[in-house]
Amino acid sequence: MREANGPPGDDWTRVVAATDVPPGKLKGVATRQERLVLANVDGEFYALEDRCSHQDFPLSSGELEGCELECPFHGATFDVRTGRATRLPAVRPVRTYDVEVVDGEVYLRLG
Ligand code: FES
C-alpha cells in the first residue's frame, strides 16, 4: 500500500474504498469500460475481468480461497494474481488489471 495523495497517475480510475473489500472477499465493480472483480488477499488487492472464461458468468458471485477465485457456476478456479485458469472447465485465463491503493482508495489502470 502506497502512502501518497491522489491517484497514482492520469490513467488510473478510483473504484472503491479499500474498506469496501475486506480481506478474503470479492467485490464486483463497474467502470464505464468494463465490469471487474476486486479481490483482497490478506490486504493485497487484485483486479480481474468479471467474466468467467468458461461461459461468461460473473466471477464476482464466486468465492475467494487464498489466491484462488472459484466460479460458482461450474467450479472453475482462477489465480487472482495472474488470471490463469487453475481448474477445469475453464482453460483460458481472464484479463487482469493493475491495482494501487492510495490513502485507502483503490485505483485501477484500465485500457
Ligand atoms: S461459467 Fe465459470 S465455470 Fe462455467
Side-chain angles (χ1 to χ4, degrees):
M1 219 176 279
R2 279 177 23 153
E3 293 297 324
N5 291 317
D10 290 342
D11 52 345
W12 293 79
T13 302
R14 180 205 174 275
V15 284
V16 293
T19 52
D20 289 343
V21 194
K25 297 295 183 187
L26 300 168
K27 184 174 183 65
V29 295
T31 71
R32 269 182 282 176
Q33 299 101 320
E34 298 278 359
R35 286 196 55 80
L36 302 128
V37 55
L38 291 173
N40 180 339
V41 180
D42 297 329
E44 290 291 325
F45 287 78
Y46 301 93
L48 303 92
E49 187 176 13
D50 193 8
R51 186 184 314 151
C52 183
S53 65
H54 176 230
Q55 287 186 353
D56 293 342
F57 288 112
L59 291 172
S60 54
S61 305
E63 295 284 333
L64 186 63
E65 183 76 42
C67 291
E68 293 226 316
L69 191 170
E70 181 175 347
C71 178
F73 297 97
H74 311 101
T77 58
F78 299 88
D79 187 324
V80 297
R81 299 167 297 184
T82 62
R84 189 170 66 91
T86 52
R87 189 168 70 208
L88 296 172
V91 292
R92 288 175 288 118
V94 294
R95 184 175 178 188
T96 59
Y97 296 84
D98 292 336
V99 183
E100 287 265 8
V101 179
V102 181
D103 293 339
E105 306 290 335
V106 180
Y107 292 87
L108 300 179
R109 182 155 53 192
L110 304 169

